[in-house]
Amino acid sequence: MIIAANLKTNLSRKQTSEYVAELELFIAQHSITQEVLVFPALSSLNENDGDVVIGAQNAYATVNGAFTGEIGLEHLEEFGIRTILIGHSERRHILGESQEELVVKFNYYKALGFKIVYCIGEPLEKREAGKEEMMRYIFSQYEGIDTSYENLVIAYEPVWAIGTGLTPTLQDIKEMHLDLKEKSSAPLLYGGSVKVTNAKEVLEIPNVDGILVGSAALYVEHFSTMIQYAQDISS
Ligand code: PGA
């Protein structure tokens, strides 16, 4: 399974390196064989030659250049970063990234062979508009995306469940993952208010290949517990 932590705009460089070191220790001590990804703030990116894979929360589709406030391939290569998160709901809805912009970014990092964790998910009003409307919205987030890219991971994260403590029912997640697997056979993560108290049951749902965790992953012991759940379920 893939257990991923999105640290968002949290943890300094020093805190992140302590976080990753603690995870490495946990992985070694508990013989963890799951894929563990951590997406630190861009200024906290660093090389890591252990088991934890470090990914970028964002980068511009460029090697370098005049794109104030952005980083490019050169800045990822400095730390050996080969994994990127694209389409997170906060980038779509707060930072205003359009589907067209995401596609450009996706194709750029795909051409470089990056592992891409591509996020999709509906806002509350789309969910309340009924299944058909909701699926139409979600499928529009697949437009221009190569769903058969071999290094693709998809994360289904209902926007209304992110950082709110609200989650769909286990049955809802089960149905959604079944539908989404028809769109792409890429590993499919669930994200949105996953925490120690619900991670186990979410990971047990068929077609859930892992989790993408925000707030609860800020506590390394909580995130480690979720990694252990995935390990127990997989073995
Ligand atoms: P959350 O965030 O776990 O705090 O809901 C998940 C995410 O944004 O990836």
Side-chain angles (χ1 to χ4, degrees), residues 4-6 8 85 88-90 119 157-158 161-166 191-195 212-217:
N6 177 7
K8 308 193 180 185
L85 197 62
H88 188 275
S89 88
E90 284 148 17
C119 305
E157 302 199 294
I162 295 178
T164 58
L166 301 170
S193 294
V194 176
K195 38 192 179 292
L212 176 55
V213 190
S215 346

Side-chain angles (χ1 to χ4, degrees), residues 46-62:
N46 215 340
E47 210 147 358
N48 187 47
D49 53 13
D51 290 314
V52 175
V53 173
I54 306 294
Q57 292 174 21
N58 179 46
Y60 205 65
T62 188

Side-chain angles (χ1 to χ4, degrees), residues 1-233:
M1 290 199 190
I2 300 173
I3 310 300
N6 177 7
L7 302 180
K8 308 193 180 185
T9 317
N10 299 294
L11 304 194
S12 65
R13 171 171 292 270
K14 183 164 177 284
Q15 290 170 323
T16 303
S17 77
E18 288 165 359
Y19 181 95
V20 172
E22 282 194 48
L23 277 185
E24 290 291 357
L25 197 62
F26 183 86
I27 289 170
Q29 284 175 344
H30 295 79
S31 309
I32 300 293
T33 53
Q34 310 305 301
E35 207 175 324
V36 178
L37 310 181
V38 173
F39 295 92
L42 294 182
S43 61
S44 304
L45 286 177
N46 215 340
E47 210 147 358
N48 187 47
D49 53 13
D51 290 314
V52 175
V53 173
I54 306 294
Q57 292 174 21
N58 179 46
Y60 205 65
T62 188
V63 175
N64 54 30
F67 306 101
T68 302
E70 295 284 333
I71 65 165
L73 179 63
E74 192 174 275
H75 312 95
L76 299 179
E77 281 185 332
E78 182 178 11
F79 301 118
I81 308 290
R82 305 273 312 151
T83 301
I84 187 167
L85 197 62
I86 294 181
H88 188 275
S89 88
E90 284 148 17
R91 297 219 49 96
R92 289 180 192 267
H93 300 288
I94 302 177
L95 285 314
E97 256 180 281
S98 68
Q99 185 65 21
E100 292 70 28
E101 287 168 317
L102 295 175
V103 168
V104 170
K105 197 172 280 189
F106 185 97
N107 286 336
Y108 183 84
Y109 285 101
K110 177 190 147 193
L112 292 160
F114 269 57
K115 171 169 286 212
I116 299 177
V117 179
Y118 181 70
C119 305
I120 53 168
E122 81 289 353
L124 192 56
E125 70 268 20
K126 295 293 172 191
R127 172 161 283 247
E128 287 173 342
K131 176 104 189 213
E132 209 174 303
E133 178 66 21
M134 176 173 80
M135 293 317 281
R136 208 182 355 256
Y137 180 87
I138 289 177
F139 288 162
S140 73
Q141 298 178 323
Y142 284 83
E143 272 167 28
I145 300 298
D146 177 2
T147 53
S148 57
Y149 173 46
E150 72 268 17
N151 249 334
L152 172 66
V153 175
I154 296 176
Y156 168 59
E157 302 199 294
V159 180
W160 52 274
I162 295 178
T164 58
L166 301 170
T167 46
T169 64
L170 298 177
Q171 184 61 26
D172 279 341
I173 299 175
K174 186 176 168 191
E175 282 173 26
M176 187 57 99
H177 276 238
L178 187 63
D179 289 346
L180 294 178
K181 275 283 179 175
E182 278 180 31
K183 227 26 204 170
S184 170
S185 59
L188 183 58
L189 316 185
Y190 170 78
S193 294
V194 176
K195 38 192 179 292
V196 167
T197 49
N198 62 13
K200 197 160 182 280
E201 47 199 16
V202 169
L203 286 165
E204 279 168 344
I205 299 172
N207 294 311
V208 169
D209 303 308
I211 45 179
L212 176 55
V213 190
S215 346
L218 291 176
Y219 304 93
V220 74
E221 60 281 9
H222 288 204
F223 190 55
S224 303
T225 302
M226 295 186 236
I227 295 170
Q228 185 67 57
Y229 288 155
Q231 184 68 31
D232 294 345
I233 292 166

